[in-house]
Amino acid sequence: QAQLVQSGAEVKKPGASVKVSCKASGYTFTNYGISWVRQAPGQGLEWLGWNGPHNGNRDYAQKFQGRVTMTTDTSTSTAYMELRSLRSDDTAVYYCAGRVLYGMDVWGQGTTVTVSS
Amino acid sequence: DVVMTQSPLSLPVTPGEPAAISCKSNQSLLHSNGYNYLDWYVQKPGKSPQLLIYLNSNRASGVPDRFSVSGSGTHFTLKISRVEAEDVGVYYCMQALQTPPTFGGGTKVEIK
């Protein structure tokens, strides 16, 4: 059974960085890569970007260019998303999502990132 | 970026009755290959989003056939033929034609 398991909640101060991990199991992780989506409190879904399975291809939303880095460790089937220069409006639940058959058909449980002084 | 607009914001429904959610895009989602690059996700209370429908009309694994989508180009409708209690949640449409993928604002389906 395809599964993505994310790292635990984080509390960061403004200006700091956060790195969230996402470990895949039960499917061929290296086929399609991982997308990252976030959800601010009480808000909708926002796509941050996608990282291909071998770190050769990646695509970031323009809004996060220069502040986000997505990487993949294929040896451990783990994807990472680092967001730098955190602001209070980066407070959100961050999800990783992968593809087994189509689109984003497997999701992690979410990682709550709280940015507060 | 492609702008996705959903309505209504909230949809109270009676179990056994039908429900419909509208999703509009400001650009056509119809690819030259004939597919509309529109997906639907549902986020049930306290859970992560899950894929419901992909490429406009294909139900994801395990999705019952009471869910269907009509429309093409810029206007789409997700239909639930007979709402069940387990269908409560927030439904999002998402365009997958252009990067970045963009989501509608969501429609909250709740039981009356």
Side-chain angles (χ1 to χ4, degrees), chain A residues 59-114:
Chain A
D59 207 348
Y60 302 149
Q62 188 167 9
K63 175 179 178 177
F64 301 100
Q65 292 274 1
R67 278 212 304 145
V68 70
T69 301
M70 297 175 187
T71 55
T72 300
D73 182 344
T74 54
S75 68
T76 59
S77 297
T78 303
Y80 300 90
M81 187 282 299
E82 181 181 34
L83 190 62
R84 300 177 292 278
S85 301
L86 290 169
R87 308 184 287 254
S88 58
D89 62 359
D90 291 317
T91 294
V93 178
Y94 289 75
Y95 295 100
C96 60
R99 171 178 171 173
V100 180
L101 294 176
Y102 179 84
M104 296 182 283
D105 57 359
V106 57
W107 290 66
Q109 82 278 19
T111 296
T112 299
V113 175
T114 303

Side-chain angles (χ1 to χ4, degrees), chain B:
Chain B
D1 296 358
V2 178
V3 177
M4 306 297 292
T5 303
Q6 285 183 239
S7 61
L9 198 61
S10 176
L11 185 58
V13 293
T14 301
E17 292 297 306
I21 299 170
S22 171
C23 174
K24 295 181 181 179
S25 59
N26 68 347
Q27 299 179 35
S28 177
L29 303 183
L30 181 61
H31 192 276
S32 56
N33 62 13
Y35 289 100
N36 284 283
Y37 278 65
L38 179 79
D39 301 336
W40 289 86
Y41 292 86
V42 59
Q43 186 172 30
K44 297 187 177 181
K47 301 292 188 182
S48 301
Q50 59 187 86
L51 180 66
L52 189 69
I53 304 277
Y54 63 94
L55 285 177
N56 192 35
S57 59
N58 300 277
R59 287 183 295 274
S61 177
V63 174
D65 61 7
R66 63 177 182 274
F67 290 92
S68 65
V69 175
S70 61
S72 182
T74 61
H75 191 185
F76 305 87
T77 303
L78 174 69
K79 298 174 185 175
I80 310 174
S81 59
R82 295 172 306 279
V83 172
E84 296 187 6
E86 66 181 27
D87 298 335
V88 298
V90 181
Y91 290 74
Y92 296 94
C93 59
M94 187 201 82
Q95 67 82 19
L97 184 65
Q98 294 185 18
T99 299
T102 45
F103 295 88
T107 295
K108 185 175 184 179
V109 172
E110 50 195 2
I111 299 295
K112 282 183 182 177

